[in-house]
Amino acid sequence: MIRDSAGGKPHPAKSCDCRPAGNRTHYGPSAAIGAVLPQGRDMRRPVQLGVNLPWFHGAYGHDLGPNQACPDWPVAFDPGEVERLLDQFAAFGVRLLRIWLFEQGEGLRHSPRGRVEELDVRFLRNLERLCGLLSARGMAVYWTLLDANSPFRNTDRVTYPILTDPGAAEAFCALAAGPVLEVVAPTAWAIDMCNEPEGIIAGRFGNGTPYGVTWPEVTPSLRTIAAAVRRLAPQVRVSVGSGFTEQVNLRDNGDFLPLALELDFLDYHSYKRGRLVLPRTSCLNAATAHLPVVLGELGYGVAAERRTCRNAWAKGQEDLSGKLHQIADRGYEAAFLWFASDPGNTDATSLYFRHEPGRAFHTLARLRDLGGMTPC
């Protein structure tokens, strides 16, 4: 996650399977709750609520498989622990997740120049076990392939080439994404090609620094990945989860708009405090107003010096709880709370703090019990 432009970074008793079925316009079962906005656009669409489970046990870059750049890092995947975590989610009515796959080059065997050569067998085996656990619970996943924030870490030598060289992107799709899509497609709510691609974009249309590339250097690879997903899993929707769909890009960035129109929905990350903005004011313009909008990350930004403070965590949970009550009339298709990874952590931006579920989880459960909204 990175902070957005203005801030810091009850299902029914019957069984519920929230995976899209068949065509690309199906969004799964959800309660009929919404509103008609002042602009006259009917926003009474289903609002699906989920949780970001980006990596397991805090093991960014080595939770499902080994990382070639750091061979001494242990693979953190523990089926028993994962099963217990998924059961906790289910108890709160959570059946929709956003899970990351190849963050920091995890699971990818590659050449010294960063060209993918093969997919790690252990990664694929653990992913198959994970999908089995998810399927058994009727859970669906917004699978995220890459993370554009990781190339700034010294150990990642593969993400940058994939995102800037269409040839490297093709190799990634053929040798890694292809086999993975076969495994995850049955549980896929959608595919997020890359978390926050603006992480490697320089300037005001990206990371806000002089360091990085331009959108024209990245969009060919994103188009290559999107085409591969549609070819290999045509029933699965495709987007890219980031702040690049913010108004500044749609209003001023002529290089980006054509790509936005090729996505099945727009994905916006928000860490604004105290309020939810309307999609129309945050990431829609006249050309994209027909596209659904998803909050791929809905979180609460906490200053670095307070990241281990329980009071800061409690305040953030109160903020997220309030946003969950607001979201029905904002016109979003879905929202994924940021984040849960290791319930025992002391991260004030997490949904857990020392194994204590936060208020946001309890709000999800209340909404489920009241029948006013479903998280899947």
Side-chain angles (χ1 to χ4, degrees):
M1 67 173 179
I2 61 174
R3 63 183 179 85
D4 64 21
S5 60
K9 199 167 175 183
H11 72 101
K14 63 181 181 180
S15 63
C16 174
D17 186 342
C18 46
R19 292 171 291 178
N23 62 65
R24 305 177 71 85
T25 59
H26 178 73
Y27 297 103
S30 184
I33 185 167
V36 179
L37 297 185
Q39 294 90 341
R41 182 182 176 202
D42 188 352
M43 304 304 286
R44 287 173 294 191
R45 293 175 172 178
V47 179
Q48 301 178 56
L49 298 179
V51 167
N52 273 276
L53 177 58
W55 49 85
F56 295 96
H57 314 302
Y60 177 95
H62 61 110
D63 59 335
L64 290 173
N67 194 305
Q68 178 176 319
C70 302
D72 57 328
W73 287 358
V75 175
F77 186 75
D78 180 331
E81 289 295 324
V82 170
E83 191 165 11
R84 281 188 284 274
L85 184 59
L86 295 180
D87 286 341
Q88 289 180 35
F89 290 165
F92 287 110
V94 176
R95 295 178 182 272
L96 180 60
L97 303 172
R98 179 170 176 255
I99 299 177
W100 299 12
L101 293 170
F102 300 112
E103 77 277 0
Q104 202 170 342
E106 171 185 357
L108 300 175
R109 311 301 298 178
H110 55 85
S111 71
R113 297 179 63 87
R115 182 68 66 102
V116 174
E117 296 178 333
E118 63 178 339
L119 178 65
D120 183 85
V121 174
R122 187 175 180 184
F123 176 95
L124 189 60
R125 184 170 65 246
N126 285 337
L127 181 61
E128 290 171 346
R129 297 183 74 176
L130 171 60
C131 287
L133 296 175
L134 293 163
S135 294
R137 290 157 178 80
M139 291 180 168
V141 180
Y142 185 18
W143 295 102
T144 299
L145 299 181
L146 301 166
D147 177 23
N149 296 306
S150 68
F152 290 99
R153 299 169 182 255
N154 292 332
T155 55
D156 188 350
R157 295 288 184 270
V158 65
T159 303
Y160 182 88
I162 292 173
L163 291 176
T164 57
D165 177 358
E170 289 178 2
F172 164 71
C173 292
L175 300 174
V180 160
L181 282 169
E182 290 185 22
V183 174
V184 304
T187 59
W189 182 84
I191 295 294
D192 174 3
M193 294 183 286
C194 180
N195 177 66
E196 299 178 345
E198 75 273 17
I200 61 168
I201 304 296
R204 65 186 290 256
F205 296 129
N207 57 35
T209 77
Y211 307 105
V213 295
T214 64
W215 278 110
E217 293 175 271
V218 171
T219 50
S221 286
L222 292 176
R223 284 196 171 102
T224 297
I225 296 171
V229 173
R230 290 183 167 125
R231 182 177 67 254
L232 297 168
Q235 78 280 11
V236 178
R237 295 178 298 152
V238 181
S239 190
V240 59
S242 69
F244 82 95
T245 50
E246 290 178 276
Q247 193 175 33
V248 64
N249 273 297
L250 292 172
R251 182 186 64 224
D252 302 331
N253 187 0
D255 293 323
F256 167 67
L257 185 57
L259 176 65
L261 295 174
E262 296 172 17
L263 303 174
D264 292 310
F265 58 88
L266 301 179
D267 182 336
Y268 176 56
H269 296 179
S270 178
Y271 290 81
K272 299 181 189 298
R273 296 188 181 188
R275 65 187 180 90
L276 280 169
V277 296
L278 300 177
R280 186 176 297 277
T281 62
S282 64
C283 47
L284 293 180
N285 67 6
T288 59
H290 66 287
L291 290 172
V293 182
V294 166
L295 283 172
E297 292 180 13
L298 176 59
Y300 180 82
V302 177
E305 64 272 16
R306 304 197 69 210
R307 284 290 288 269
T308 60
C309 175
R310 191 188 184 285
N311 286 340
W313 172 75
K315 185 175 181 181
Q317 289 299 294
E318 182 178 358
D319 179 270
L320 289 176
S321 177
K323 288 174 179 174
L324 287 173
H325 286 292
Q326 298 174 33
I327 200 166
D329 62 355
R330 294 303 191 268
Y332 292 104
E333 292 288 341
F336 295 78
L337 295 176
W338 183 267
F339 77 113
S341 172
D342 177 5
N345 71 69
T346 56
D347 186 339
T349 67
S350 172
L351 297 172
Y352 287 95
F353 198 90
R354 292 178 178 165
H355 296 284
E356 178 184 352
R359 183 173 175 179
F361 271 129
H362 294 285
T363 299
L364 286 174
R366 284 198 301 274
L367 291 171
R368 172 202 62 191
D369 294 341
L370 291 171
M373 191 181 300
T374 176
C376 65

